[in-house]
Amino acid sequence: IERTISIVKPDAVGKNVIGKIYDRFESNGLKIVAAKMKHLSRAEAEGFYAVHKERPFFGELVEFMTSGPVMIQVLEGENAVAKNREIMGATNPANADVGTIRKDFADSVGENAVHGSDSAENAAIEIAYFFAATEIC
Ligand code: ATP
Ligand code: MG
């Protein structure tokens, strides 16, 4: 059993599709074991995406991630990291498979509806970034 972080980004929260996205997780055997809605500060977004700070899109990414509230959840299940990435689809929705969250709800590579941890190691770091151990059920 594995855990991963999922974030419903400001574009998808704004489109009022949190529930539709949660349904994708639950329908695919991922269980929500913690969740919080939060409007990230600049410092929180910069810290979360610190690995991307040298990338040309970093400023745009932080701007977007602080543009409105996000819904952050811990997902638990067999191969949760890889399964969540599969359900999300490719980073660029134009390349995302039919039936994925990004294909159905994202508009562009920048505003792409969801985040998911890319490894079990990063999942542990990202979970600790947003949740105390006592907040996970
Ligand atoms: P995430 O980390 O959000 O789950 P990802 O792992 O699919 O997405 P990364 O390469 O980690 O993709 O990029 C992190 C985020 O940065 C992307 O989700 C997207 O919002 C943004 N991003 C990535 N590439 C670009 C780009 N070329 N232009 C604008 N934004 C980008
Ligand atoms: Mg990533």
Side-chain angles (χ1 to χ4, degrees):
I1 218 86
E2 194 173 68
R3 285 176 174 173
T4 190
I5 274 275
S6 158
I7 302 178
V8 179
K9 295 185 178 184
D11 57 328
V13 173
K15 286 179 181 170
N16 211 20
V17 294
I18 294 170
K20 289 195 168 80
I21 291 173
Y22 271 25
D23 180 55
R24 304 293 175 95
F25 302 144
E26 295 183 333
S27 299
N28 285 282
L30 293 174
K31 193 175 170 70
I32 297 160
V33 294
K36 64 174 70 165
M37 186 175 249
K38 208 168 155 47
H39 195 145
L40 299 181
S41 67
R42 174 165 291 274
E44 284 171 325
E46 286 175 350
F48 183 73
Y49 278 121
V51 291
H52 296 310
K53 66 176 180 295
E54 305 305 335
R55 303 259 217 122
F57 56 80
F58 182 70
E60 189 186 325
L61 176 59
V62 169
E63 204 59 48
F64 168 58
M65 289 300 288
T66 57
S67 66
V70 297
M71 192 75 194
I72 310 166
Q73 42 284 327
V74 178
L75 305 177
E76 188 177 86
E78 294 293 335
N79 299 312
V81 171
K83 184 171 282 183
N84 182 43
R85 301 280 299 182
E86 191 183 308
I87 296 166
M88 288 163 55
T91 307
N92 186 342
N95 303 326
D97 288 342
V98 171
T100 61
I101 292 169
R102 283 167 167 165
K103 182 68 167 188
D104 293 340
F105 302 115
D107 294 323
S108 66
V109 67
E111 307 206 352
N112 61 1
V114 281
H115 164 81
S117 309
D118 58 12
S119 66
E121 187 190 2
N122 284 333
I125 293 168
E126 294 179 358
I127 289 169
Y129 191 80
F130 285 121
F131 293 94
T134 51
E135 293 177 306
I136 304 170
C137 296

